Amino acid sequence: MSRTPARPPCSPSSPSPSSSTCPPARPVPPFPPLRVGRAGGRLRRAVRRRRRATAAGLAVVAAALAVGGAQARASRGAAPPVAKPAAVVVRLVSAPVRIADAATVRLLRPGDRVDVVAAERTGPPRVVAAGARVAEVPEPEKGVGDGGALVVLSVPRDTARALVGAGAVARLAVTLC
């Protein structure tokens, strides 16, 4: 086995450039220094700035739509929305009320809403309870003539007092709501 002689490595100091297999030397062009590891931070900052700008733009659009929607409702003649106060818990009580017309009471069913009107001889009729819920309609009593009929209403405590007082001095009637 014959061995081939090893070629000399490429180096600029080789004595004969024609016998070397290296390409000719070229000058290196100037370039800015490389900064490793900072480009990712720049990209993150750019994305963060874009998110902030998008969020600010969406906030401005939402505010403009809210103002524009209120103006559009106002221009159509609709009343602007009014903030409702917090609902107050009202405790309801059951108030038995004798209605003058027994036939009217037979038309009522539990869950109906009625207005109770007091008719006095000396003055105009007045509404004692508005929108009272019918809780119960007891069976009509046997042997009672023109005494009317009983109905149980679910009303606030103050309204129950007014119903009892009105029932003592006036004839009560109901109207369905």
Side-chain angles (χ1 to χ4, degrees):
M1 289 193 175
S2 70
R3 291 182 125 194
T4 48
R7 292 187 180 173
C10 292
S11 69
S13 60
S14 57
S16 67
S18 62
S19 66
S20 169
T21 59
C22 295
R26 293 186 184 153
V28 176
F31 59 90
L34 295 176
R35 291 187 172 86
V36 179
R38 294 192 63 186
R42 240 184 273 147
L43 179 63
R44 271 188 235 110
R45 281 193 301 273
V47 169
R48 212 177 296 135
R49 265 187 255 122
R50 181 168 285 173
R51 283 184 194 153
R52 287 181 191 147
T54 304
L58 287 174
V60 169
V61 169
L65 287 176
V67 170
Q71 288 176 350
R73 281 192 300 272
S75 68
R76 289 187 298 230
V82 178
K84 295 181 181 178
V88 178
V89 177
V90 177
R91 179 151 182 207
L92 299 178
V93 296
S94 296
V97 179
R98 184 156 303 274
I99 304 299
D101 186 12
T104 305
V105 173
R106 285 196 302 263
L107 297 174
L108 300 177
R109 300 286 177 258
D112 287 346
R113 293 281 179 176
V114 295
D115 290 342
V116 180
V117 180
E120 297 177 11
R121 292 180 194 258
T122 59
R126 63 184 173 93
V127 176
V128 181
R133 188 177 60 81
V134 175
E136 187 179 345
V137 182
E139 292 294 320
E141 300 171 0
K142 303 274 189 210
V144 176
D146 193 24
L150 192 65
V151 64
V152 179
L153 301 176
S154 181
V155 292
R157 189 175 297 274
D158 294 339
T159 306
R161 285 190 203 111
L163 284 169
V164 170
V169 295
R171 294 179 58 125
L172 300 180
V174 293
T175 58
L176 286 166
C177 296

